[in-house]
Amino acid sequence: MVAKYRRVLRDMLLMVALLIGVFSVADFFRAPQAPEGFADQILHTIDGKDVTLAELSAKKPLLVYFWASWCAICRHTTPTVLDLSDDGVNVLTVALRSGDDISVVRYLRGKHLTMPVVNDPRGEMAARWDVSVTPTWMIISKGKVIQSTTGWSSSWGIQLRLWWVKKWYS
């Protein structure tokens, strides 16, 4: 009986390791590429603020989250970003091809979401960053992209990445 449980545990650990490997390879190939001078580029949020990624990531890591109102996975991950923001995580989101500012504001209000948003109505910013998948998550520290991942991610997965960056890169 004990041997059976050991085999099941071994198989489960092997499956987890395989999944981590597959997702890591996928993230490597889908990783966004930071354009030249990205950290100092002035970004305009839909609430009228001008910010730079260098200034936002100077004191603590910044989670940059590319999402879209039409993205099915984003409907599940965006509330996670809101929770992280509410818990004090440094967050900036980018609404990718989700309409004009008014459309994005209506979408956010309809979903009861309040978070800092840069609107990218034509996908120009995403194209400069080579973002090809929504959602895309990036962690920036002191104006440098440290980590990125694409697709669904859990709250604890993002928190673990943020902890790692804060511990080793801040």
Side-chain angles (χ1 to χ4, degrees), residues 3-167:
K4 179 181 175 183
Y5 288 120
R6 284 185 181 164
R7 271 195 311 267
V8 169
L9 181 61
R10 182 195 70 210
D11 290 347
M12 287 175 55
L13 290 173
L14 184 61
M15 182 61 74
V16 167
L18 181 63
L19 285 173
I20 289 171
V22 167
F23 289 135
S24 296
V25 169
D27 278 347
F28 175 78
F29 285 108
R30 296 190 306 199
Q33 302 299 314
E36 185 78 26
F38 78 92
D40 296 319
Q41 177 187 3
I42 296 173
L43 304 173
H44 309 284
T45 63
I46 59 174
D47 61 354
K49 295 179 184 168
D50 290 340
V51 298
T52 67
L53 298 177
E55 118 190 289
L56 291 175
S57 67
K59 294 182 182 171
K60 65 181 186 176
L62 172 69
L63 175 64
V64 178
Y65 172 68
F66 282 85
W67 62 279
S69 60
W70 45 264
C71 167
I73 295 172
C74 298
R75 291 184 189 122
H76 300 284
T77 57
T78 301
T80 298
V81 175
L82 177 62
D83 291 342
L84 291 169
S85 179
D86 288 347
D87 290 342
V89 172
N90 194 14
V91 172
L92 180 70
T93 71
V94 179
L96 175 59
R97 290 190 295 273
S98 296
D100 60 12
D101 287 358
I102 293 170
S103 299
V104 173
V105 168
R106 284 184 185 145
Y107 175 82
L108 293 170
R109 284 186 182 156
K111 302 287 184 186
H112 307 291
L113 301 170
T114 54
M115 53 191 181
V117 178
V118 172
N119 192 14
D120 188 14
R122 291 181 296 282
E124 295 165 346
M125 183 177 175
R128 282 192 306 272
W129 280 81
D130 198 24
V131 170
S132 59
V133 176
T134 55
T136 291
W137 315 71
M138 288 182 284
I139 300 174
I140 299 173
S141 183
K142 297 184 173 110
K144 295 180 182 171
V145 177
I146 306 298
Q147 282 198 356
S148 68
T149 190
T150 57
W152 181 85
S153 189
S154 65
S155 177
W156 61 265
I158 295 301
Q159 288 176 9
L160 181 62
R161 286 178 171 91
L162 285 163
W163 172 83
W164 182 265
V165 170
K166 188 174 183 178
K167 179 148 180 75

